[in-house]
Amino acid sequence: MSEFLKIPTELPDLFLIEPQIFKDQRGFFMEFWNQQAFAKIGLKLQFVQDNHSRSQKGVLRGLHFQDPHPQGKLIRVVRGSIFDVAVDLRTSSPTFGRWWGTILSEENFRMLYIPPGFAHGFLVLSDWVDVIYKATDYYHPKCEGGIRWDDPELGIEWPLQEYGITRPLLSRKDESWPSFSEWVHKKWGKL
């Protein structure tokens, strides 16, 4: 059984995961999911769905979540690189409304575990990227939600200029999400 390293981030329950890589002259081998090994590092997870997306440079997907039926996600890049972002939407959390981001790539082999109750998005940094992720709940179209990627209140520091991206490519849906404050007000009134 392979071992995994769980690296805490600035947001509670959000973890970088480093898998064990076995390299030789032929290439490499790795496990990226092993239920027993993840339980050993304190992540007792039950995944029910796997997803795969392919995107070109400059595409920004997000910030997405489901409410109800929040999904935990294990994100992995198999080709290319992304700047991956999670935003804490758990009102009981001391980091409610804060974001954290990191680069995931085929070179660094790192994965990001995003627990239920977070919004998720990523910006494609390479010419093309293939992202796969496991989810702890099924996709429910009627529960789909989102927050604007460029909300100044969140202040996400997307590395656009560093990668020669003037304006990200977004879906119509991702262009129309409300701001964080608008979403909070619509969901709970005033917190």
Side-chain angles (χ1 to χ4, degrees), residues 61-75:
R61 296 183 183 267
L63 300 160
H64 303 147
F65 59 87
Q66 283 193 165
D67 182 32
H69 302 287
Q71 294 176 308
K73 296 176 181 177
L74 181 64
I75 313 293

Side-chain angles (χ1 to χ4, degrees), residues 20 64 115 180:
Q20 192 172 9
H64 303 147
F180 179 73

Side-chain angles (χ1 to χ4, degrees), residues 21-29 107 109:
I21 311 295
F22 302 94
K23 294 182 182 181
D24 63 22
Q25 71 278 7
R26 299 168 298 162
F28 74 89
F29 173 83
E107 287 87 19
F109 293 99

Side-chain angles (χ1 to χ4, degrees), residues 60-64 85 87 99 121 123 146-158 160 166-168 170 173-182:
L60 193 147
R61 296 183 183 267
L63 300 160
H64 303 147
V85 171
V87 179
W99 68 275
L123 172 68
I147 296 170
R148 284 195 62 82
W149 71 277
D150 60 351
D151 183 351
E153 184 179 353
L154 293 178
I156 298 171
E157 296 169 11
W158 299 99
L160 298 167
T166 45
R167 178 87 178 145
L170 296 122
K173 192 184 296 184
D174 286 348
E175 287 177 335
S176 66
W177 294 125
S179 69
F180 179 73
S181 292
E182 290 168 336

Side-chain angles (χ1 to χ4, degrees), residues 90-136:
R90 303 168 300 173
T91 55
S92 61
S93 171
T95 57
F96 175 68
R98 286 190 36 208
W99 68 275
W100 189 83
T102 191
I103 291 178
L104 301 179
S105 72
E106 66 181 297
E107 287 87 19
N108 69 23
F109 293 99
R110 286 181 155 187
M111 299 177 282
L112 186 63
Y113 172 64
I114 303 171
F118 278 70
H120 172 247
F122 64 83
L123 172 68
V124 180
L125 307 176
S126 53
D127 289 339
W128 287 94
V129 75
D130 281 298
V131 176
I132 59 173
Y133 63 96
K134 304 180 90 51
T136 59

